Amino acid sequence: MPDISLTVIIVLCLAALAAGWVDAVVGGGGLLLLPALLLGLPNSGSAAQYALGTNKAVAIVGTTGAAVTYARKAPVDVRTAVRIGLAALAGSTAGAFVATGMSTEVLKPVVMVVLLGVGAFVIMKPAFGNAPSTEPVAPRRVLAAIGLAGLGVGFYDGLVGPGTGTFLVLALTALLHLDLVRASATAKIVNCCTNAGALATFAWKGTVFWQLAALMAVFNLVGGMVGAHTALKRGSGFVRIVLLTVVFTLVAKMAYDFWL
């Protein structure tokens, strides 16, 4: 356990709870959890690597809980999700190796720019993800999803992490013509694989605070299961609202922290 105060531990656990809920609804729980870890962990030259590693150890628990909850209620193509997930596993493992040399300052502008792109895309496509296509998914679209949502987003997940679930939801909705709820359910299965690949790398590098992660994971699991139930109950319109709210709130906060 790192040398941090009880107050900071409580704040980190609450951040894990909120991140689990957000991640289950629309993805991007790491956008709450990773900044909290970057601020809460002791400042040192390896703070970014420990924040990334601990984030993965926490997130994989909440993501798995959300995936199980979705699978029981939503019609998910598990076979396709697993194929994309295996590609994502390879991508995230490679990304995590690259990430071990990154500093905290590199993470902030990268995440902020990516967030702005996500928000702009969703605003310009108001009907995006409101209704699934009734036509069968063409094999070329599945292959594209394996390459983009699997290898591409998986690499990003291992490299940086925050927003991975959101990018998966967007990619799966666009490529496989899913509604936002089914895309969220599929993304959770894929995200389990990306988290596993990245976590294995960070564990091998020894950059995980396991005791802190175990404590935060309990809160993340509860948030993830509650979030999945909320998304299933409220539908795609609600997911879209949460997506835009999360994206622009975090863009504003990170811009404030970076420039002011």
Side-chain angles (χ1 to χ4, degrees), residues 23 55-57 59-61 63-64 89 92 157 164 190-200:
D23 198 57
N55 173 58
K56 289 303 173 192
I60 194 171
V61 176
T63 300
T64 302
L89 175 62
S92 66
D157 187 42
T164 296
V190 177
N191 213 178
C192 286
C193 295
T194 64
N195 283 339
L199 177 58

Side-chain angles (χ1 to χ4, degrees), residues 164-182:
T164 296
T166 304
F167 301 138
L168 283 173
V169 169
L170 292 170
L172 293 170
T173 302
L175 294 171
L176 302 181
H177 294 165
L178 304 176
D179 63 64
L180 287 172
V181 173
R182 288 182 62 190

Side-chain angles (χ1 to χ4, degrees), residues 8 11-16 19 29-41 51 216 253:
V8 172
V11 170
L12 289 175
C13 287
L14 293 176
L31 294 167
L32 290 173
L33 192 54
L34 183 58
L37 285 166
L38 288 170
L39 292 172
L41 293 180
M216 294 173 64
K253 183 185 183 303

